[in-house]
Amino acid sequence: MQLPAGERQAPGKVFLVGTGPGDPGLLTLRAAQLMQTADVVLYDRLVSDDILQLVHAGARMVYVGKQAGYHTRTQAEIHQLLLDFAEAGATVIRLKGGDPYVFGRGGEEVQYLQQHGIKVHCVPGITAAAGICAELGIPMTHRGVATSVRFLTGHSREGGELQLDETLAACADPHTTLIVYMGLGTLPLLVRQLRARGMPADMPAVAVERGTTSEQRVVFDTLQQLHGSIQEAGLQSPTLLVIGQVVALAPGWTGVQDAAAAGGLSAAAASAAVTSAHDCARLQLDDAVAAVLKQQPQQQRVRQPVGSS
């Protein structure tokens, strides 16, 4: 596969770049720097349009997004694209939501490329758990409340089937914060398993759709009631779940409990009312994209059809 820029004998480099949970202000400086120099950018569904604006206009953009039940490219095809572009001498950026090494399959891509003699560098990103918990004021650990954190995914290797940690007894520990990525479809089963292992039905929990972005939606409720409230609110993927006593430390948790008690609102309705004020305050922050670009004119990036360039 040849690039318009011409032939180069030496293979190019590949950079796996984490873009964080969605807010461009949470990008690392290294990520922003690389996005201004790449020849080719392969990007996921979870990379926001605001972040894509930071890619310079001359880069070739290749969409390789996935979601449950529909993959524009298989993982093997993504591996081959990365290899083809690198062997053609390109500087290749693989943009991933969150952190490449936290449920991002970054390790698989690194292994494949290294086996074929391609140098790979990983640029870490703020994983969704850290970004969203910070956004909501939820400390993942807190003295006397939570002494450990456990990350789980609700998807199997090829998606769609449940893959939960076999040590769910440890997850049900009241002093453990449990964070579930891609867990909407498997939440009812997860709740049953946690309850069977002793986790209280009234354990505080929260579901966050597209956290840290302008499209963020939040639902606070107890473990037992969370699934019903999520359905009422109509949350969709990507949604992160946080379960544990630390959720009750979030300002939003108290606000939702008070609003529900005073106005007879459901947890979903109270969550929407309470979190909207916080969203308005966050959106008053300076435009992070403009700050990074330092007002340099850039061609805006929009999602393109599969296989376009």
Side-chain angles (χ1 to χ4, degrees):
M1 183 177 297
Q2 298 295 325
L3 295 173
E7 297 181 355
R8 282 177 281 181
Q9 297 300 318
K13 294 181 179 179
V14 176
F15 295 86
L16 270 60
V17 177
T19 63
D23 181 351
L26 299 179
L27 279 172
T28 63
L29 293 175
R30 179 57 54 83
Q33 175 189 38
L34 288 169
M35 291 162 67
Q36 288 292 300
T37 61
D39 297 316
V40 181
V41 176
L42 279 68
Y43 63 101
D44 282 348
R45 179 177 67 97
L46 299 182
V47 180
S48 69
D49 289 334
D50 286 340
I51 288 174
L52 290 177
Q53 290 184 40
L54 295 174
V55 179
H56 74 96
R60 179 172 182 176
M61 306 293 290
V62 181
Y63 178 57
V64 292
K66 300 177 183 178
Q67 63 188 85
Y70 177 68
H71 293 179
T72 61
R73 305 276 189 177
T74 66
Q75 190 62 39
E77 289 173 333
I78 293 172
H79 288 171
Q80 191 61 50
L81 281 171
L82 291 168
L83 179 61
D84 287 347
F85 283 122
E87 288 184 333
T91 297
V92 184
I93 305 298
R94 176 74 168 99
L95 288 183
K96 292 176 172 287
D99 183 272
Y101 287 164
V102 180
F103 302 129
R105 305 189 72 170
E108 297 172 47
E109 293 174 0
V110 168
Q111 286 182 328
Y112 179 84
L113 292 168
Q114 288 180 341
Q115 288 169 359
H116 289 80
I118 303 299
K119 293 183 178 180
V120 187
H121 301 269
C122 182
V123 177
I126 295 177
T127 188
I132 290 172
C133 284
E135 173 80 7
L136 297 183
I138 300 173
M140 288 188 285
T141 62
H142 190 83
R143 183 182 299 182
V145 179
T147 57
S148 65
V149 184
R150 185 176 294 272
F151 293 170
L152 297 179
T153 173
H155 281 178
S156 66
R157 289 187 60 185
E158 293 303 328
E161 296 181 2
L162 180 63
Q163 183 184 8
L164 293 176
D165 197 314
E166 293 182 356
T167 59
L168 278 174
C171 295
D173 175 7
H175 299 292
T176 293
T177 302
L178 181 59
I179 299 178
V180 185
Y181 291 71
M182 302 169 286
L184 280 184
T186 57
L187 179 58
L189 178 57
L190 175 62
V191 170
R192 291 196 298 271
Q193 291 178 325
L194 291 173
R195 292 284 294 117
R197 288 163 173 80
M199 182 172 282
D202 61 354
M203 179 67 76
V206 64
V208 187
E209 176 188 328
R210 297 190 179 278
T212 78
T213 74
S214 60
E215 299 174 312
Q216 173 176 292
R217 294 197 293 164
V218 180
V219 172
F220 286 97
D221 210 337
T222 62
L223 174 68
Q224 190 66 43
Q225 301 299 323
L226 184 62
H227 183 249
S229 294
I230 288 173
Q231 289 185 311
E232 178 184 340
L235 297 193
Q236 298 179 355
S237 177
T239 292
L240 187 83
L241 309 174
V242 184
I243 303 167
Q245 297 185 67
V246 291
V247 174
L249 300 176
W253 173 265
T254 303
V256 167
Q257 303 305 305
D258 292 345
L265 300 175
S266 67
S271 295
V274 168
T275 57
S276 62
H278 174 73
D279 291 342
C280 291
R282 175 171 53 81
L283 292 175
Q284 292 174 1
L285 295 173
D286 292 338
D287 182 1
V289 173
V292 172
L293 293 177
K294 296 180 180 179
Q295 299 181 348
Q296 296 177 3
Q298 294 288 334
Q299 175 181 326
Q300 288 193 354
R301 286 293 177 189
V302 296
R303 300 192 184 279
Q304 301 175 349
V306 177
S308 63
S309 61

